[in-house]
Amino acid sequence: AAGVIQSPRHLIKEKRETATLKCYPIPRHDTVYWYQQGPGQDPQFLISFYEKMQSDKGSIPDRFSAQQFSDYHSELNMSSLELGDSALYFCASSLLTHTDTQYFGPGTRLTVL
Amino acid sequence: SQQGEEDPQALSIQEGENATMNCSYKTSINNLQWYRQNSGRGLVHLILIRSNEREKHSGRLRVTLDTSKKSSSLLITASRAADTASYFCATDERGSNYKLTFGKGTLLTVNP
């Protein structure tokens, strides 16, 4: 079965650079969630989209923005990167009528040097 | 804010033994889910229990939910070395637009 695809899988950036993370949800899933997991930490909710509209916002810095496109894929844009942004970034998708289960992608490991 | 607290933080057992992990949360929920994560890898969905359910089984997994105590437990029976991973509970709070709030996780080590 198709799963959530995230790209890139690994990304290395310098401080103050920008990064764009991409997420391709499971086909027919209309809802996308972004989570950040720091080293040794639990995942923290950043932001979610349903039908291309932002549906909820968590602890996402103002330096970060995200959107969901007409094909339901989503991009997380991160600017002015800081060392503390180094983390695993997960995307998850679900179908609104079955919102119970969120299926997670493999994550993008971002390292800021 | 952190919703869930898991107990214990780390658990080491021998293959064949049972492993029990607990999770507590603070708010009203729609459901509670358990996820597994191998070191630095993705989150794999294990089982979901709804707020009106008390117990659920899936293979070697048994989950209980006590909404009066705001707690859940995950039991893995007849553990295997391949069960070694971190286990997280995640709650879907009522009125939260389905975002998940994760617990701190339990690192389970199953020794062969």
Side-chain angles (χ1 to χ4, degrees):
Chain A
V4 176
I5 297 171
Q6 290 188 247
S7 69
R9 294 292 309 277
H10 301 272
L11 190 59
I12 298 175
K13 291 286 185 179
E14 300 279 342
K15 277 192 332 183
R16 292 180 288 278
E17 286 191 323
T18 61
T20 297
L21 279 54
K22 298 185 179 182
C23 168
Y24 298 86
I26 291 171
R28 299 197 311 278
H29 280 195
D30 49 21
T31 307
V32 167
Y33 311 80
W34 286 96
Y35 294 85
Q36 177 193 57
Q37 185 179 29
Q41 303 295 312
D42 53 286
Q44 295 285 317
F45 171 75
L46 292 177
I47 195 167
S48 61
F49 294 87
Y50 164 65
E51 284 290 343
K52 293 150 279 183
M53 299 287 289
Q54 180 182 306
S55 58
D56 206 345
K57 197 170 182 179
S59 49
I60 183 169
D62 292 340
R63 300 177 289 107
F64 294 7
S65 65
Q67 56 182 325
Q68 186 181 31
F69 295 86
S70 57
D71 64 351
Y72 295 104
H73 94 273
S74 178
E75 294 184 3
L76 177 65
N77 298 294
M78 310 159 72
S79 63
S80 302
L81 286 169
E82 301 173 356
L83 295 178
D85 295 329
S86 295
L88 263 173
Y89 289 85
F90 289 108
C91 170
S93 74
S94 69
L95 186 60
L96 183 63
T97 53
H98 294 88
T99 47
D100 301 41
T101 300
Q102 292 182 23
Y103 296 91
F104 281 75
T108 293
R109 181 173 293 282
L110 172 67
T111 302
V112 181
L113 302 175
Chain B
S1 61
Q2 189 53 51
Q3 165 81 311
E5 296 293 331
E6 296 195 48
D7 163 46
Q9 290 189 334
L11 180 61
S12 182
I13 58 174
Q14 296 298 125
E15 224 171 10
E17 294 182 336
N18 296 340
T20 299
M21 290 160 271
N22 302 298
C23 165
S24 61
Y25 57 92
K26 297 175 183 173
T27 65
S28 295
I29 62 172
N30 293 313
N31 61 64
L32 185 145
Q33 306 180 50
W34 285 88
Y35 285 85
R36 165 201 166 113
Q37 183 179 37
N38 287 79
S39 179
R41 308 291 290 274
L43 291 154
V44 176
H45 184 264
L46 295 177
I47 195 167
L48 177 150
I49 186 164
R50 300 181 198 282
S51 60
N52 62 353
E53 297 177 314
R54 292 296 166 259
E55 187 170 314
K56 204 160 183 181
H57 298 254
S58 177
R60 294 184 295 114
L61 305 180
R62 173 178 168 255
V63 169
T64 63
L65 179 64
D66 186 335
T67 52
S68 66
K69 294 181 179 177
K70 292 186 166 56
S71 66
S72 174
S73 68
L74 171 68
L75 168 67
I76 303 175
T77 60
S79 63
R80 305 165 182 167
D83 294 329
T84 295
S86 290
Y87 292 82
F88 293 91
C89 69
T91 52
D92 171 1
E93 299 173 39
R94 282 206 187 127
S96 71
N97 283 329
Y98 312 112
K99 70 180 180 188
L100 293 179
T101 302
F102 284 81
K104 294 292 184 188
T106 293
L107 175 59
L108 173 66
T109 303
V110 181
N111 301 300

